[in-house]
Amino acid sequence: MQEFEASLAPREGDMLSLPFDQYGRMRIVQNVLNSLYTAIERDSVSAQSGSGQPAAISVLDVGGYPGVLRHFLSSDYYDVSVLDVAPDDGSIPNYTQGSGLELPFANAGYDVVTALDTLEHIPQPDRERFLDEMMRTARHAAVLINPVQSVEADVAEETLDEYIQWILDARQEQLKEHREYGLPDLEATVEAFRRRGWRTLHFPAANVYNWLLMMLAKHYLLSLRDERAAGFERTLDRFYNLTFSEADRSQPAYRGVLVAVRPGLEEALHLIQGDYPPMPASDNANTVRLQLAQTLMSLFNLETANHEDRLLREQIEHKDKHAASLEQRLAVIDVQLDRARHDLRQVPELQKAVADLQQVILEQQGSLEAGSRRIDDLEQALDDKDRHIGNLQQALDDKDRHISNLQGDLANKDQHVSNLTSRLEQEVKAKNEHIVYLENLLQGIESGRVLRMTRKVARLLGRG
């Protein structure tokens, strides 16, 4: 068990220098997943690897860009995937670009699904759908950590927002979105899981006064725009993460933590509750905060004074350098003035040369004007020729059309002659046939006459 807990320590660099609120979330999830792992391993559904070692449980971190959670979890025990709307640049293992409102994964596709500072960036009408997708995808458990609605949290965010606008002349988009969408209602989120039969545990995280004090301090250091101020900001985060982070759970809280498990894993909730029991408010908590605030302000005032002194020294050095540069420029200007005086002595000769050049230019301009007029005349003559050619072309086209018409008439006449010839040939043929008919008829007539004459002669001879 000690080996397992040791494997959950931050890896790949000093995570203690992370921003205090991010580090606090990650440490809570790390501890919660520790208890969930123990319960899931003992559950009959938990799988075992062939080597006898506990199988890694799969974790989907919805809205988890840029993948910080995996640095708090050992790859021997956890297989972490991340889904977010940010484009995939290939730097995050097992990363999927997508929306939490429509997770592109199978039902019960992951052992645990987490959403860390994500729900508050979902529009109010879509939050129920977001939670439904988490429950659909989670096989055993779901973990949510996010700011929760309260009067203190609302006032703290408004105070921070106005401070950022004042000291940095800017707006923080996350706070702006919080105001537009409204911070999530923790009780409503818990009820959404309970209605579907899940077992839940919730507890506060990040005292709202501590959160506001640290955020004001960090943005003050940011406004200095100095490398040493940035280094001190990291030191401040490290100090807070080492001394306050684990115990920063007193009311009123800025964030709420919700752990939901399916029936049968209630043991995990008991383990988690043992790690995060209710924390009574300390009588001297506000006094300590005021003292810390005064100490920080003193340090900031000292740093500001040093910063201003350094800026003044830098300005003096800059002015000295600027003065030296001006002296060098004056020396150069003196040399240029000497050259100018020498040039002035040559002005009469230059003026005569300029006058000669102007005369040449005038003559050239006259030649150019004459040439321009000649070009205009040639262009006019060319236009006249173009028009004449156009007229000739038109006349030629008219003749071509007349010839075409005559050819058509000739073709018509040839057809007419052909028709007449055919008709004459037919008439000649008909007449020839008629002549033959008449000749045949005449022959018949002649034959009949001879026969009659023969008979007549015969009758005459017979009588004789």
Side-chain angles (χ1 to χ4, degrees):
M1 187 64 181
Q2 292 180 350
E3 179 184 354
F4 170 63
E5 291 179 348
S7 70
L8 296 175
R11 300 173 295 110
E12 299 186 18
D14 189 0
M15 297 294 106
L16 288 170
S17 296
L18 286 173
F20 76 101
D21 53 341
Q22 186 181 54
Y23 178 86
R25 296 194 304 271
M26 297 302 161
R27 284 289 292 170
I28 292 173
V29 176
Q30 183 187 62
N31 294 331
V32 167
L33 287 179
N34 180 1
S35 298
L36 287 173
Y37 186 98
T38 302
I40 292 173
E41 181 188 0
R42 293 174 183 174
D43 189 77
S44 59
V45 181
S46 179
Q48 297 291 329
S49 65
S51 62
Q53 296 294 327
I57 66 173
S58 56
V59 179
L60 173 63
D61 190 13
V62 180
Y65 185 89
V68 177
L69 179 59
R70 68 187 179 89
H71 297 302
F72 284 78
L73 303 174
S74 171
S75 59
D76 294 334
Y77 296 91
Y78 299 99
D79 182 12
V80 181
S81 299
V82 179
L83 177 137
D84 209 321
V85 296
D88 181 11
D89 60 1
S91 63
I92 304 175
N94 301 326
Y95 183 80
T96 301
Q97 183 181 359
S99 170
L101 300 178
E102 191 174 352
L103 296 176
F105 307 112
N107 296 342
Y110 290 87
D111 293 315
V112 182
V113 178
T114 64
L116 313 178
D117 268 18
T118 300
L119 187 60
E120 71 273 20
H121 297 291
I122 305 297
Q124 183 70 38
D126 296 329
R127 287 175 182 170
E128 188 81 12
R129 180 181 173 189
F130 179 86
L131 298 176
D132 287 341
E133 280 294 279
M134 288 189 67
M135 287 182 271
R136 179 186 66 81
T137 312
R139 181 181 298 110
H140 297 300
V143 182
L144 292 96
I145 303 178
N146 50 260
V148 293
Q149 198 281 323
S150 70
V151 174
E152 294 84 356
D154 288 340
V155 173
E157 286 200 341
E158 290 174 4
T159 302
L160 178 60
D161 192 27
E162 291 182 6
Y163 182 75
I164 292 173
Q165 293 183 59
W166 168 49
I167 199 168
L168 292 175
D169 193 23
R171 291 293 302 273
Q172 191 181 67
E173 290 302 320
Q174 293 88 338
L175 292 176
K176 180 181 177 183
E177 203 166 72
H178 292 183
R179 304 268 60 81
E180 291 178 357
Y181 296 161
L183 294 180
D185 185 335
L186 180 59
E187 292 297 332
T189 306
V190 171
E191 183 60 26
F193 279 89
R194 288 177 177 173
R195 285 198 308 268
R196 292 161 179 78
W198 289 63
R199 307 296 187 261
T200 63
L201 168 68
H202 62 91
F203 53 88
N207 177 270
V208 69
Y209 304 124
N210 295 344
W211 176 84
L212 178 59
L213 177 61
M214 285 293 293
M215 294 302 288
L216 291 175
K218 287 169 68 65
H219 282 87
Y220 177 83
L221 292 170
L222 181 64
S223 70
L224 297 179
R225 295 180 171 85
D226 182 83
E227 291 184 2
R228 286 184 290 183
F232 182 71
E233 180 189 358
R234 290 189 293 272
T235 301
L236 182 63
D237 280 317
R238 182 181 178 85
F239 170 76
Y240 193 94
N241 293 335
L242 280 170
T243 57
F244 289 104
S245 181
E246 293 295 334
D248 187 18
R249 295 186 286 109
S250 62
Q251 294 283 11
Y254 178 66
R255 287 186 175 83
V257 181
L258 169 62
V259 183
V261 298
R262 293 190 183 274
L265 289 177
E266 289 82 359
E267 175 191 1
L269 299 183
H270 295 304
L271 293 173
I272 296 168
Q273 192 167 27
D275 292 334
Y276 294 96
M279 178 173 289
S282 174
D283 294 336
N284 63 347
N286 290 332
T287 302
V288 172
R289 292 190 190 97
L290 288 175
Q291 292 175 349
L292 179 61
Q294 292 173 356
T295 302
L296 288 174
M297 290 301 105
S298 299
L299 290 173
F300 293 158
N301 290 335
L302 178 61
E303 175 63 22
T304 302
N306 293 335
H307 181 71
E308 291 176 351
D309 291 343
R310 185 175 64 256
L311 289 178
L312 182 60
R313 288 193 298 272
E314 291 176 353
Q315 289 176 358
I316 292 173
E317 292 176 358
H318 177 71
K319 289 181 179 179
D320 290 340
K321 292 179 180 178
H322 185 61
S325 175
L326 289 176
E327 291 177 354
Q328 292 178 355
R329 291 182 60 185
L330 286 174
V332 173
I333 290 174
D334 290 339
V335 174
Q336 292 176 345
L337 285 174
D338 291 339
R339 292 178 180 175
R341 294 189 188 97
H342 177 267
D343 293 339
L344 283 174
R345 290 192 291 270
Q346 297 179 349
V347 166
E349 297 179 1
L350 292 174
Q351 289 177 339
K352 183 178 183 303
V354 169
D356 294 339
L357 288 174
Q358 289 177 342
Q359 182 62 35
V360 172
I361 290 172
L362 291 174
E363 293 175 356
Q364 293 293 330
Q365 287 178 342
S367 299
L368 289 174
E369 291 175 357
S372 298
R373 288 192 296 272
R374 176 60 178 166
I375 290 173
D376 292 338
D377 294 339
L378 291 174
E379 288 179 347
Q380 181 63 40
L382 183 60
D383 292 338
D384 294 339
K385 290 183 178 180
D386 288 339
R387 285 193 294 271
H388 181 64
I389 291 172
N391 294 333
L392 292 176
Q393 184 66 42
Q394 182 64 37
L396 182 60
D397 293 340
D398 293 340
K399 290 182 179 180
D400 288 341
R401 285 193 296 271
H402 181 64
I403 291 172
S404 178
N405 293 334
L406 290 176
Q407 289 176 343
D409 293 341
L410 180 60
N412 292 335
K413 289 181 179 180
D414 289 342
Q415 183 65 36
H416 183 64
V417 170
S418 177
N419 293 337
L420 289 176
T421 302
S422 178
R423 287 177 57 188
L424 288 173
E425 289 176 351
Q426 291 178 356
E427 290 178 0
V428 169
K429 181 178 179 181
K431 288 180 179 180
N432 290 334
E433 291 177 352
H434 187 63
I435 291 171
V436 171
Y437 170 75
L438 291 177
E439 288 177 349
N440 291 334
L441 180 62
L442 181 59
Q443 289 178 0
I445 292 172
E446 289 295 334
S447 297
R449 182 179 300 171
V450 171
L451 180 59
R452 285 195 301 272
M453 290 181 64
T454 303
R455 289 177 179 175
K456 185 176 180 181
V457 171
R459 280 195 305 269
L460 290 174
L461 291 176
R463 268 196 242 108

